[in-house]
Amino acid sequence: GVILPGGEGEEGEEGTKQGVAAEFASASGETRLALMSVRALLRPSGEVAGAITSVLDVTDSAREGRA
């Protein structure tokens, strides 16, 4: 699907961005809401070597007023 920016999120530990909201379109065309967290993987030199990302679909919770 297509990811649309939804917010800045909060800074967590160094190299971590938590709670970034995004809307995306599922294969069926339905709009879904996700919360994403991203953590940088750093080399000993401090250079970014990669990232770990988690994505949680919170569409149903948001519709029920729990997100």
Side-chain angles (χ1 to χ4, degrees):
V2 177
I3 296 177
L4 305 172
E8 290 296 315
E10 297 178 12
E11 293 291 336
E13 298 176 35
E14 184 178 339
T16 304
K17 188 73 110 166
Q18 299 178 339
V20 177
E23 290 183 333
F24 64 97
S26 68
S28 68
E30 179 185 12
T31 299
R32 305 292 294 178
L33 178 64
L35 287 180
M36 301 184 299
S37 295
V38 180
R39 179 176 177 96
L41 297 174
L42 304 176
R43 293 190 168 102
S45 66
E47 180 183 11
V48 175
I52 298 173
T53 303
S54 65
V55 180
L56 177 63
D57 185 337
V58 295
T59 305
D60 296 333
S61 295
R63 287 180 182 155
E64 295 173 4
R66 295 183 292 173

